[in-house]
Amino acid sequence: MAKIIIIIALILGIYGWRDQVVWGFDQSRDAFEAANIWQNHDLKLLGPSSDIPGVNHGPLWYYFLAPVYFVFNGNPNPVSLIFLLALFLSAVPVWFLAQKLFNKKIISFLTVSLYLLSPLFQSYTRWMSNPMLSLFISPVILLLLWSYFAKSSLKIAVLTGLFFGLLIQSDVAFGLFLFVLPIYYWLFKQKLIFKHTLGFIFGFLAAVSTFILAEIKFGGRMTIGLLDFIFKGNSAPISASGAVRQLFDRIIDFLYFTILPFPKLLIVIFLIFCVLKTKSVNKTALFLLIWLSNIIIFQLFATGVSGSGFVFAPSLAALVILAAFVLSKYKWLVIIIFAAQIGLNLKWINSNYSPVSVQHGVTLTSEERIIDYTYTQSNNEPFIIVTLTNPLYINTNWAYLYEFYGQKKYGYLPFWAGKSQKGYLGNLPDKTTDTKWRFLILEEPAGIPDIYVTKTIYEEDLLSDLVSESKIAGITVQKRQFHPNKDPIEIPESLKLAPKILAE
């Protein structure tokens, strides 16, 4: 039975990978940076940027990517497949953790099955980004913590600190998991041992040493960014009732994305049923629940990250083990859950939805189709592209796609005529006019005000005439012909009301 579930999960992963690999700014930026490591020997101290200005994740992710991109010469198609297959190996430490905690094969089997079929895990098989490393790291941390509380030792303390540091390397926001440590010590009545504390700190500092070196090199910009965020914040105040409701919704989302892909009412009924049936919480369940308390901690820090699906990644192992423990008593429910997980996975794949990606339509397959469209519609003549992207006015994604795919397939690059890309990654040659064909590529705004869409189209209308328009997945591409002597174009009313945006 276990082999059948693993095969089904692998088929789902490959089915989604075939057409739905998410490929946006983050993935192209990471590919460029990985290439810089093996092409230019540019060793990294800073990793991908976070949603807090001045704060970057660790560079560990780049060093994972670099050798794989080197082998496949920058082609993201085989690279994404390699990472998909590698991601299935993260089930190994999850299985070991379940065995260590319960020592029951049925619970370990249910754990791995729930883990591999969970829509959240499957979403990661189509989304290459630094938080995915936490799927490997977090179960190891839990193994080390459980071992330490069973029999404390200096070696385990050092390794625990090291893996906590690696967790922060994967995503700096995961530093909030450090707050669960005092909860463990308090509820497990664990005594602090000075030598072990020093060992934990030593291992931790070794893993986060790149952050320390980066702070020295770049004048403490991360510290400044974090302090600015802590004292100023970046969101409007919320009432106590609103915070509780928000926390409840996050918990429901987590369960829906993972082990209970049912309507909200059914999830609530299941939770009430579990609470009523629970007479006491044993030590093992408490151990897992403490780790899952991070969801509350994240809600105390209102950032763009706290509302994202990928923050659940380090919690997935703990949740599926706890769920497997509960479901081992209600085996009749397991088949229903497996079927629901498979159903939601198929729904997300077929509708091009991912809880870890903010944009729809930015898949590698659809973007390659757009690139093919621009070359064929220009009759393989020189052409210009202009894009509306997320992040706004940063063309890194399309620059990488045209370099790795378009240039290799068609033998030349298009010209770039949008906002200056000085300081950003990408090597498209600049040319504003004097080229017959122009293509305006409009990604889904996903948080960017619609007025920027209006502005981008208006600016193109000043230079060119619309020939045709196509929509591929969630991306619109306009074929345009350069018109050197166009009559004046009326400024759209919305832009007249926003003179600052018009002047940008």
Side-chain angles (χ1 to χ4, degrees):
M1 183 65 176
K3 291 180 180 178
I4 295 173
I5 294 295
I6 292 171
I7 291 171
I8 291 172
L10 189 57
I11 291 171
L12 276 173
I14 293 174
Y15 175 63
W17 169 83
R18 186 185 60 177
D19 287 321
Q20 299 299 334
V21 172
V22 175
W23 193 270
F25 165 77
D26 289 354
Q27 287 70 39
S28 287
R29 173 204 60 202
D30 295 347
F32 270 126
E33 296 291 12
N36 282 332
I37 292 175
W38 56 267
Q39 287 178 342
N40 305 320
H41 310 293
D42 180 16
L43 299 182
K44 303 294 180 183
L45 286 178
L46 294 175
S49 56
S50 75
D51 70 326
I52 301 176
V55 178
N56 288 65
H57 307 299
L60 180 65
W61 175 240
Y62 291 157
Y63 292 105
F64 268 85
L65 289 174
V68 189
Y69 273 112
F70 171 75
V71 170
F72 293 104
N73 197 30
N75 187 340
N77 287 290
V79 170
S80 60
L81 180 59
I82 291 297
F83 273 84
L84 179 154
L85 298 175
L87 204 56
F88 275 76
L89 296 177
S90 67
V92 175
V94 174
W95 184 88
F96 274 111
L97 177 59
Q99 275 293 101
K100 185 79 171 179
L101 293 177
F102 291 102
N103 196 28
K104 291 184 178 180
K105 288 186 178 180
I106 181 63
I107 293 179
S108 300
F109 157 68
L110 288 176
T111 293
V112 171
S113 301
L114 290 168
Y115 178 78
L116 293 178
L117 287 179
S118 71
L120 181 65
F121 171 83
Q122 288 288 330
S123 293
Y124 269 96
T125 65
R126 306 187 291 276
W127 186 67
M128 286 198 308
S129 193
N130 48 288
M132 76 186 309
L133 295 177
S134 65
L135 292 171
F136 296 90
I137 298 168
S138 57
V140 177
I141 292 176
L142 288 165
L143 271 168
L144 290 168
L145 284 173
W146 184 256
S147 300
Y148 184 83
F149 294 143
K151 187 178 180 180
S152 58
S153 74
L154 177 60
K155 180 181 178 180
I156 296 176
V158 173
L159 287 173
T160 304
L162 178 70
F163 275 88
F164 260 105
L166 293 178
L167 185 63
I168 296 171
Q169 280 275 348
S170 70
D171 194 297
V172 71
F174 295 154
L176 292 177
F177 277 85
L178 290 170
F179 286 102
V180 304
L181 284 176
I183 302 175
Y184 276 119
Y185 273 83
W186 173 49
L187 292 179
F188 277 37
K189 299 178 181 178
Q190 189 77 22
K191 291 183 179 179
L192 277 174
I193 301 173
F194 181 70
K195 186 190 294 186
H196 294 180
T197 303
L198 287 180
F200 177 90
I201 293 171
F202 174 79
F204 180 77
L205 291 177
V208 299
S209 57
T210 55
F211 289 104
I212 299 170
L213 293 172
E215 285 298 273
I216 295 171
K217 181 176 180 179
F218 299 108
R221 74 178 195 180
M222 180 173 175
T223 302
I224 294 169
L226 285 173
L227 290 174
D228 188 61
F229 167 73
I230 290 169
F231 290 110
K232 293 183 180 179
N234 70 338
S235 63
I238 187 171
S239 64
S241 61
V244 171
R245 186 168 59 252
Q246 199 175 69
L247 174 61
F248 175 76
D249 287 340
R250 289 298 286 163
I251 293 171
I252 295 298
D253 284 344
F254 185 31
L255 294 171
Y256 178 73
F257 292 164
T258 52
I259 59 168
L260 294 174
F262 302 115
K264 181 183 288 188
L265 180 59
L266 288 181
I267 297 175
V268 173
I269 291 172
F270 181 82
L271 289 177
I272 294 172
F273 173 79
C274 289
V275 170
L276 293 176
K277 282 287 185 178
T278 302
K279 296 178 181 179
S280 62
V281 178
N282 62 31
K283 183 180 179 181
T284 309
L286 179 62
F287 175 76
L288 296 170
L289 286 169
I290 292 172
W291 186 259
L292 292 173
S293 69
N294 75 83
I295 297 173
I296 300 173
I297 297 169
F298 267 99
Q299 287 307 116
L300 297 175
F301 293 84
T303 74
V305 166
S306 63
S308 302
F310 66 77
V311 298
F312 295 137
S315 306
L316 182 57
L319 178 68
V320 293
I321 294 172
L322 189 61
F325 168 65
V326 174
L327 291 171
S328 65
K329 303 172 185 177
Y330 307 100
K331 298 182 181 65
W332 58 270
L333 187 56
V334 172
I335 301 300
I336 297 174
I337 290 176
F338 286 166
Q341 286 180 314
I342 293 169
L344 185 59
N345 277 312
L346 290 172
K347 179 182 177 182
W348 282 1
I349 291 171
N350 293 329
S351 62
N352 190 25
Y353 173 77
S354 171
V356 295
S357 176
V358 296
Q359 284 181 286
H360 295 163
V362 286
T363 62
L364 193 56
T365 303
S366 62
E367 288 162 337
E368 288 176 351
R369 287 169 58 198
I370 287 170
I371 290 171
D372 287 332
Y373 176 85
T374 58
Y375 279 102
T376 55
Q377 287 293 310
S378 65
N379 299 316
N380 291 332
E381 298 174 7
F383 62 94
I384 281 172
I385 66 163
V386 178
T387 61
L388 178 70
T389 58
N390 193 331
L392 184 63
Y393 297 142
I394 301 178
N395 191 54
T396 297
N397 185 33
W398 293 98
Y400 186 82
L401 291 167
Y402 272 101
E403 286 181 47
F404 109 81
Y405 179 75
Q407 185 177 31
K408 289 181 179 179
K409 185 172 182 178
Y410 296 96
Y412 68 100
L413 288 171
F415 295 103
W416 167 251
K419 298 288 183 182
S420 171
Q421 296 299 294
K422 186 177 181 180
Y424 297 117
L425 295 164
N427 303 295
L428 295 186
D430 292 331
K431 191 172 187 179
T432 307
T433 57
D434 299 331
T435 298
K436 179 180 179 181
W437 299 116
R438 298 170 68 92
F439 293 90
L440 176 59
I441 301 171
L442 303 168
E443 296 178 9
E444 281 194 355
I448 294 174
D450 289 340
I451 193 169
Y452 284 99
V453 179
T454 304
K455 179 178 185 290
T456 304
I457 293 174
Y458 166 70
E459 289 173 341
E460 269 305 301
D461 284 340
L462 294 173
L463 296 169
S464 61
D465 295 320
L466 178 64
V467 177
S468 63
E469 179 176 287
S470 296
K471 191 156 188 174
I472 299 174
I475 303 173
T476 300
V477 56
Q478 293 184 348
K479 178 182 179 181
R480 289 173 165 270
Q481 185 170 353
F482 177 59
H483 192 150
N485 300 305
K486 286 201 71 171
D487 293 330
I489 301 293
E490 178 69 22
I491 299 174
E493 203 63 36
S494 59
L495 288 176
K496 290 178 183 178
L497 300 174
K500 289 184 178 179
I501 291 176
L502 182 61
E504 287 180 358

